[in-house]
Amino acid sequence: MPAPIAADQILRLPLLPVLAAQGLWVRRTARLLPEPSGPRAGCEGHGPRLRLLIAGDSSAAGVGAETQAQALSGQLVQRLAQDYRVAWRLEATTGHTTRDTLDRLRQIDGPFDVAVTALGVNDVTRATTRAQFMARQTALLEHLTVPLGANCVVLTGVPQMQRFPALPQPLAWVLGQQAARLDAGLHQVAARFPQAHHLALDFPDDPALAAPDGYHPSPRAYALWAERLAQDIHAQTRARICRTSGTE
């Protein structure tokens, strides 16, 4: 049975002139922040080897931070390097959708032990349906877990776009509703893969967590995100070791 049509989907047509005007205003007035400087691959830490891939859009690339050390990649590697020798690689670009990221990852070689993805905002703004998003995320997970060999994949949830300070109402509400639908689909996709885990982003309401553009995370938000990812990766890695050794 088809899913019922949500209120925001019903109201899109009468709201279309307002939404179009607000979308144009956001594009014209948005503060464009560059991707941060710094290395996008390296090897850090001591201990068991962990080959890490971080892939996705502008948030994965660290927009909102000045350097990669302040961004998601640097802060996550710093935490993991306390327990592992982390060989890491960042494959992320501003504006990339799930399909763009899959195309990019088909051009690199593995294997990786752990993959982290951050995608969805550009799928929302390009009117990707939930069914399309789930199909593309499924293809992405199949590529991460088979050709690239990742036995632990953390799918960062689609952000709550209604909370982006840069977006006016009702545009924020409409995009937020669609983001929630895609995130629910992402959770379903993750449940189909034993290697995958969906990590919801539910940061507190704190202006310090937003970058100056009101659209991307700040270094403080990247720190919170990296801490949650590190905890998740540690937990999944320990669980797999226990299952392999036959212990609990």
Side-chain angles (χ1 to χ4, degrees):
M1 179 180 295
I5 300 175
D8 64 290
Q9 295 173 313
I10 296 172
L11 291 173
R12 279 182 195 176
L13 186 57
L15 286 174
L16 187 58
V18 175
L19 298 176
Q22 289 185 336
L24 182 60
W25 177 83
V26 169
R27 285 193 292 272
R28 285 180 173 174
T29 62
R31 180 174 176 180
L32 300 180
L33 300 179
E35 294 182 4
S37 61
R40 293 192 171 219
C43 191
E44 299 180 33
H46 301 279
R49 182 178 65 171
L50 189 148
R51 295 164 296 188
L52 171 68
L53 172 67
I54 303 168
D57 55 23
S58 56
S59 61
V63 172
E66 292 187 3
T67 67
Q68 288 295 339
Q70 299 174 321
L72 180 65
S73 63
Q75 300 214 47
L76 177 57
V77 170
Q78 180 187 39
R79 286 161 174 77
L80 294 176
Q82 297 173 23
D83 300 286
Y84 303 96
R85 181 163 178 77
V86 184
W88 64 279
R89 179 169 179 171
L90 174 64
E91 295 287 341
T93 299
T94 297
H96 268 196
T97 62
T98 300
R99 184 161 51 187
D100 296 327
T101 299
L102 178 56
D103 289 342
R104 179 171 182 164
L105 295 184
R106 283 174 172 154
Q107 301 175 37
I108 71 170
D109 296 322
F112 297 94
D113 302 303
V114 176
V116 172
T117 67
L119 289 160
V121 168
N122 297 309
D123 294 274
V124 170
T125 59
R126 297 188 194 183
T128 303
T129 67
R130 174 170 168 163
Q132 290 171 332
F133 185 67
M134 291 178 66
R136 292 166 189 174
Q137 284 286 331
T138 298
L140 177 62
L141 267 171
E142 289 172 346
H143 187 74
L144 288 170
T145 57
V146 181
L148 295 184
N151 55 32
C152 172
V153 181
V154 184
L155 305 172
T156 302
V158 183
Q160 299 173 344
M161 295 183 68
Q162 71 274 14
R163 297 172 64 183
F164 286 9
L167 298 177
Q169 296 291 357
L171 180 63
W173 173 68
V174 170
L175 294 180
Q177 292 296 304
Q178 181 65 3
R181 273 189 290 274
L182 296 196
D183 191 52
L186 184 63
H187 195 281
Q188 283 185 264
V189 171
R192 299 172 184 169
F193 290 78
Q195 308 95 326
H197 181 251
H198 173 274
L199 180 67
L201 287 184
D202 52 353
F203 295 152
D205 286 316
D206 183 348
L209 297 181
D213 65 354
Y215 201 80
H216 289 94
S218 69
R220 183 173 172 183
Y222 283 125
L224 291 175
W225 185 2
E227 182 62 30
R228 295 185 187 182
L229 282 169
Q231 291 173 355
D232 202 14
I233 291 168
H234 281 303
Q236 292 196 62
T237 301
R238 286 194 296 269
R240 281 171 174 75
I241 291 172
C242 288
R243 287 196 294 269
T244 301
S245 63
T247 61
E248 294 296 334

